[in-house]
Amino acid sequence: MAEYLIEMKDISKSFPLVQANDKVNFTVKKGEIHALVGENGAGKSTLMSILYGLYQPDEGDIFINGKKVIISDPNKAIENKIGMVHQHFMLVPPLTVVENVILGMEPRKNYFFVDLQKAAHDIKELSEQYDFKIYPWSKIEDISVGIQQRVEIIKVLYRGAEILILDEPTAVLTPQEVDELFKILKALKKQGKTIIFITHKLNEVMAVSDRVTIMRNGKVVGTKETKQTSTSEIATLMVGREVLLTIDKTEQQTGKIVLRLEKVNSLNQQRYAVLKDVTLSIKEGQILGIAGVEGNGQAELVEVINGLRPITSGNIFLYEQDITGFSPRKIRELNIGHIPEDRRKRGYIADYSVAENLVLGSHYKPPFAKGLFINFPEVNKLADRLINDYDIRPASKDNLLKSLSGGNQQKVIVARELYKKPILLIASQPTRGLDVGSIEFVHKQLLLERSLGKAILLISAELDEIMSLSDVIAVIYEGEIVEILENKNIDRSRLGFLMTGGGSPGKYNTKQDTLVG
Ligand SMILES: Nc1ncnc2c1ncn2[C@@H]1O[C@H](COP(=O)(O)OP(=O)(O)O)[C@@H](O)[C@H]1O
Ligand SMILES: [Mg+2]
């Protein structure tokens, strides 16, 4: 038997503007979970698309069990028992799970029509075997993203895959769903399946993989036994320089209360309470982190502070001033910075230049406006300074924002929100989708603001981010702040428990902690 189940040798692949893979060597052992890591654009998806037959390499060979194979298309990949779950799911929302699973399968000999009942039965068996908790007759549009992903996995297993490629499966999941996915991956491994798992989150590499291959700029820069490496070694290989992973947070004196919410309530359009008696305050020099599973009122909380969502009762104060009911523009003029969660919708205008995006929101005011006109010399002066200060690449103010990488787009937003020296900064999912180098940058900026005495409201689905940056953690569940804790010796599992409703007085009407477990 060959040493490796899969061996990709000297694989190169160029696209018109970039060499995505450059003489890549990549091996996978049977039965292992192999993490493939690298920053955005490193070439991971391209390499896996070649293995799955979506692209042909310009040069190089693929061996399976020591035998050279040509994977001309995904059907050939399936013949070789290779299946892939893509970053963006390919399910059809109005169809059921079972319809989606059999969709596109080649009809077998002697079958005139697909036996849906039989397929449903098989899906149910697979679901039970791996604890997928999937009901074959649910419609895709009615199930959560986490479950949809499992349908994709079932689809691949149903086709007989022994090798599963998962392209950034955790990017779309909540922390709880990530834990469940990891259990599934381990169960698959136990059944002898081989898994290639793409991620750029290093704690995930450590948590599930047996080996890890690191890519940078289209090249493989290392393959390691996970047990024999560390997150800092992997990060250094990924980025090509040393990266600070552990956040060095110094003691910080706090000052006056900057933002205060007093029993704030808000309803959504269906008159359902989305914020319930939210009371919290943030001081100068303090980071208050909101921990919670997404969709528990975080977005609404930000909206009420920004004046974008009406509140039904309660008050919001900025220092001594009652700003309840202020318009969004009036609130912006009070100098609140906001790194928005949905950058594509609220953060920037993709078809505008870097310079224009840097003055977005201030373009109607001096010094950037002269009467009705934009004062270009002033805009350009500022853009050059910020591109330099925030290391925005490529360093040209005239590039359209859409041509920048995600990390650099986020730098543009961070620069714009911080150069005005806001008294309060709201950072919503500030590092979502960014790679380690850019995450480090954003974290440094937040801590810098803190050391300058700014108040910061941090909202993040990454529990690690909340725990490493916050001075105070407020746990939100179903629109309610269920607990506010000093961030000292906090037990991670306790936070998880509170985030999933374990401590909600509304839900259980009792204080006991014994309801779960
Ligand atoms: N179909 C394509 N056409 C042109 N360029 C592409 C295509 N797919 C990927 N690229 C480019 O190839 C490089 C590697 O991309 P990719 O393999 O998607 O990286 P990763 O998955 O590591 O983020 C990037 O610069 C990307 O823009
Ligand atoms: Mg990719």
Side-chain angles (χ1 to χ4, degrees):
M1 211 181 102
E3 183 184 4
Y4 298 114
L5 176 59
I6 298 169
E7 192 166 9
M8 299 181 82
K9 257 193 182 155
D10 290 326
I11 299 283
S12 293
K13 175 77 186 170
S14 288
F15 292 112
L17 293 172
V18 56
Q19 176 142 26
N21 285 170
D22 183 4
K23 293 219 170 286
V24 167
N25 287 293
F26 179 65
T27 60
V28 181
K29 292 179 185 169
K30 181 167 168 40
E32 74 174 346
I33 300 181
H34 196 118
L36 180 59
V37 304
E39 297 200 290
N40 289 326
K44 309 177 295 288
S45 296
T46 301
L47 186 68
M48 289 303 106
S49 298
I50 289 171
L51 183 57
Y52 188 56
L54 288 168
Y55 295 143
Q56 289 309 303
D58 301 335
E59 55 174 329
D61 295 309
I62 302 174
F63 299 85
I64 293 182
N65 267 323
K67 251 181 56 195
K68 184 169 156 176
V69 291
I70 306 277
I71 305 176
S72 47
D73 56 53
N75 286 328
K76 264 272 163 346
I78 286 295
E79 271 175 38
N80 284 288
K81 301 199 181 305
I82 298 171
M84 181 160 176
V85 174
H86 297 273
Q87 213 161 345
H88 305 287
F89 301 159
M90 300 188 169
L91 302 170
V92 186
L95 299 187
T96 61
V97 168
V98 57
E99 287 166 326
N100 268 280
V101 167
I102 60 177
L103 204 69
M105 294 254 302
E106 303 208 350
R108 272 180 238 161
K109 255 191 209 159
N110 306 330
Y111 277 75
F112 289 111
F113 56 91
V114 193
D115 187 344
L116 273 184
Q117 294 296 338
K118 162 94 171 58
H121 175 82
D122 294 346
I123 290 168
K124 201 159 155 274
E125 269 192 355
L126 275 171
S127 171
E128 277 162 15
Q129 183 179 358
Y130 295 109
D131 203 16
F132 282 139
K133 302 191 177 73
I134 289 178
Y135 179 64
W137 302 108
S138 305
K139 278 192 185 167
I140 296 300
E141 61 197 8
D142 295 334
I143 60 184
S144 71
V145 168
I147 304 281
Q148 288 179 17
Q149 184 174 65
R150 293 180 203 172
V151 175
E152 290 273 19
I153 295 175
I154 283 218
K155 199 169 162 175
V156 164
L157 292 172
Y158 193 73
R159 284 160 172 66
E162 290 292 321
I163 302 159
L164 281 83
I165 305 166
L166 302 168
D167 194 350
E168 300 210 29
T170 61
V172 293
L173 302 181
T174 65
Q176 279 71 19
E177 288 172 329
V178 170
D179 288 344
E180 286 170 33
L181 174 69
F182 286 179
K183 275 189 205 143
I184 289 170
L185 296 188
K186 285 174 181 164
L188 287 165
K189 177 182 155 171
K190 222 171 166 182
Q191 296 293 319
K193 308 276 188 244
T194 304
I195 294 160
I196 304 171
F197 165 60
I198 301 182
T199 181
H200 48 224
K201 295 185 187 161
L202 302 181
N203 56 343
E204 296 179 354
V205 173
M206 294 327 241
V208 287
S209 72
D210 300 298
R211 292 200 303 153
V212 49
T213 291
I214 303 105
M215 290 187 76
R216 185 171 78 237
N217 273 334
K219 295 192 172 74
V220 163
V221 290
T223 295
K224 309 267 171 197
E225 299 275 334
T226 307
K227 281 207 190 85
Q228 286 163 18
T229 185
S230 62
T231 48
S232 62
E233 185 185 30
I234 299 171
T236 305
L237 284 167
M238 264 168 81
V239 183
R241 61 174 169 84
E242 231 176 289
V243 183
L244 275 178
L245 288 176
T246 42
I247 291 162
D248 200 7
K249 199 162 115 237
T250 48
E251 280 289 315
Q252 174 68 34
Q253 277 230 284
T254 56
K256 289 188 195 139
I257 292 178
V258 179
L259 176 76
R260 186 157 64 88
L261 272 69
E262 274 286 331
K263 288 191 174 283
V264 167
N265 285 279
S266 182
L267 303 173
N268 67 6
Q269 281 182 327
Q270 289 77 42
R271 314 278 311 152
Y272 179 79
V274 285
L275 292 175
K276 302 172 201 160
D277 280 339
V278 170
T279 296
L280 54 84
S281 60
I282 314 175
K283 292 179 185 156
E284 292 168 343
Q286 196 176 53
I287 298 180
L288 180 127
I290 303 282
V293 175
E294 278 200 272
N296 274 278
Q298 293 94 324
E300 290 82 1
L301 176 63
V302 173
E303 286 171 355
V304 300
I305 299 169
N306 280 324
L308 291 163
R309 162 180 290 278
I311 67 179
T312 45
S313 64
N315 291 85
I316 303 174
F317 300 89
L318 198 65
Y319 285 107
E320 306 300 317
Q321 188 178 14
D322 189 341
I323 62 165
T324 318
F326 276 30
S327 71
R329 191 177 260 203
K330 209 163 162 199
I331 288 178
R332 261 197 99 78
E333 317 235 288
L334 297 170
N335 206 4
I336 295 179
H338 182 205
I339 301 170
E341 167 176 353
D342 190 344
R343 354 190 223 279
R344 268 163 246 248
K345 259 196 347 235
R346 291 237 164 91
Y348 57 68
I349 300 177
D351 287 314
Y352 280 20
S353 70
V354 169
E356 288 166 319
N357 272 283
L358 282 167
V359 296
L360 212 64
S362 311
H363 52 281
Y364 57 90
K365 286 187 298 203
F368 306 120
K370 254 199 315 211
L372 284 174
F373 300 97
I374 292 195
N375 184 350
F376 284 106
E378 277 302 320
V379 171
N380 289 339
K381 209 168 82 189
L382 175 82
D384 282 332
R385 174 164 74 81
L386 294 181
I387 285 170
N388 181 50
D389 289 357
Y390 290 86
D391 190 26
I392 294 164
R393 290 185 223 183
S396 160
K397 55 185 174 298
D398 300 320
N399 284 329
L400 295 189
L401 206 84
K402 65 181 175 196
S403 70
L404 270 58
S405 71
N408 281 290
Q409 290 175 344
Q410 185 73 333
K411 282 183 186 174
V412 170
I413 296 173
V414 170
R416 180 187 70 213
E417 296 304 309
L418 294 185
Y419 86 86
K420 286 175 279 186
K421 310 208 177 325
I423 52 174
L424 168 70
L425 176 67
I426 302 172
S428 297
Q429 316 292 356
T431 61
R432 168 168 295 162
L434 303 189
D435 43 49
V436 272
S438 307
I439 291 174
E440 178 197 32
F441 171 85
V442 171
H443 286 173
K444 270 191 187 157
Q445 296 299 322
L446 294 182
L447 288 177
L448 184 66
E449 291 301 301
R450 171 180 176 264
S451 70
L452 296 171
K454 306 299 167 59
I456 298 166
L457 176 65
L458 170 67
I459 291 157
S460 172
E462 300 286 342
L463 201 46
D464 290 322
E465 181 163 77
I466 293 282
M467 290 183 72
S468 53
L469 289 169
S470 311
D471 299 294
V472 176
I473 297 177
V475 184
I476 195 164
Y477 177 74
E478 291 193 344
E480 226 170 317
I481 300 291
V482 290
E483 200 151 317
I484 297 183
L485 312 126
E486 285 279 325
N487 189 9
K488 280 191 188 123
N489 310 319
I490 291 190
D491 178 9
R492 212 189 138 88
S493 58
R494 161 111 191 124
L495 271 185
F497 170 77
L498 292 169
M499 281 164 60
T500 48
S504 166
K507 183 144 189 180
Y508 298 110
N509 228 351
T510 160
K511 271 200 213 132
Q512 48 181 313
D513 283 354
T514 48
L515 286 163
V516 176

